[in-house]
Amino acid sequence: MTTAELRQRMENFITHFQGENVERDDLISLFYRTLKDAELCNQYITDAERGGNRDLAEFYREIQAQDRLRVSRTEEFLSRHLS
């Protein structure tokens, strides 16, 4: 998933759900922060690769994959339970 796709998903959910209830706002906040973290990992991966540190770059990829999974799970939860 590209940074633009992540950003679009974030904007869609924020626009659709924001402000309706506390639980939903908490999920939106988690969704937003996790998307931002996944996006930041792109820069961290680039920095590690430029520095020749493949292990660190792989670590950031693992973190990014976990963040993306959390984004998907949060998105599912918002769609299923709080719409």
Side-chain angles (χ1 to χ4, degrees), residues 13 16-17 20-21 24 76-83:
F13 267 87
H16 183 69
F17 290 114
E20 293 184 21
N21 66 44
R24 188 172 294 153
E76 287 173 19
F77 197 88
L78 281 167
S79 294
R80 252 191 351 227
H81 297 287
L82 299 176
S83 59

Side-chain angles (χ1 to χ4, degrees), residues 1 8-10 17 30 35 39 53 58 64 68 73-74 76-77 81-82:
M1 181 176 310
Q8 185 61 48
R9 284 173 71 181
M10 175 183 61
F17 290 114
L30 176 65
L35 280 172
E39 184 178 355
N53 194 333
E58 184 57 31
Q64 187 177 52
R68 288 179 174 167
R73 300 262 310 162
T74 304
E76 287 173 19
F77 197 88
H81 297 287
L82 299 176

Side-chain angles (χ1 to χ4, degrees), residues 19-33:
E20 293 184 21
N21 66 44
V22 173
E23 292 93 358
R24 188 172 294 153
D25 289 348
D26 291 346
L27 282 169
I28 290 168
S29 179
L30 176 65
F31 186 75
Y32 174 79
R33 285 192 318 270

